[in-house]
Amino acid sequence: MTQLRIEGEVSSPHTFSFNDLTRLPDQIADVGQFVPGRDGGGVRLRSLLERVSPADSARYITLESSDGKFSASLPITAVQDAIVAYRLGDAPLPPKKGGPFRFFIPNVEECAVGEVDACANVKFLGRLHLSHEPGRDVRPTSPASHQAHHDQPGHEHLPKD
Ligand SMILES: Nc1nc2c(c(=O)[nH]1)N[C@H]1C(S)=C(S)[C@@H](COP(=O)(O)O)O[C@H]1N2
Ligand SMILES: [Mo]
C-alpha cells in the first residue's frame, strides 16, 4: 500500500497510510474550495507536521515525488496553509489527479516566478523531508525551461475536469 513518509529534522518521523490521514484533524472536504478547478479531499499539511513535531532547526520542507524525479524545497513558513490531497470520495486519490498524494498551495503564484509557485504543487508525493538548509529542488525557473518541462512526454498538465 502506498504511504507518505515525513522525516528529517523532526522528533517522530512517521509514515502515513490513507487511513492514518483520514484520522487527522483539519480535514478539507473539497480542495476545490481553496484551489479552484481541483477535486478531491485532503488534510492540512500542518496536521501532519504536528504529528511529527518539527525540530526548532527545521526551516525548509522538501516535497519529493515517489519516483524521485521531481522535488521542490520551500520555507516551512510559506506553506502553513498547504493541503495534502489524498482522497476522491472514499477512495485514494487516483494518479490521474496526481494521487495517491498531492500537494496544493492555496493562492499560489503562477509557475516559474518565485520561491513559492504552482510548480511546487508536487504530484505523486512520496516523501516530505524537513531540514535547516534548502533541499533538492528541480523546478523549472524560467518560462522557457518551464515550457520544456511540460513538453516532455508524461509531463503534460493533468486535465482538471
Ligand atoms: N511529480 C511531479 N509533480 C509535479 C510536476 C512534475 O513534473 N512531476 N510538475 C510541476 C509543475 S511545473 C506544475 S506547473 C504542476 C502542474 O500540475 P497539473 O498537471 O495538475 O497542471 O505540477 C507540478 N508537480
Ligand atoms: Mo509549473
Side-chain angles (χ1 to χ4, degrees), residues 111-112 117-120 140 146 149-150 157:
C111 291
D117 67 359
C119 304
H146 189 253
H149 173 80
H150 288 290
H157 284 284

Side-chain angles (χ1 to χ4, degrees), residues 4 11 15 40 42 48 52 68 72-73 75 87 93-94 97 123 127-130 134-135 138-139 145-146:
L4 180 60
S11 319
T15 304
L48 284 72
V52 300
S73 194
R87 66 193 299 163
L93 191 72
K97 299 280 178 196
K123 302 179 263 193
R127 178 176 175 260
L128 306 177
H129 185 261
L130 276 70
V138 304
R139 284 177 292 165
S145 63
H146 189 253

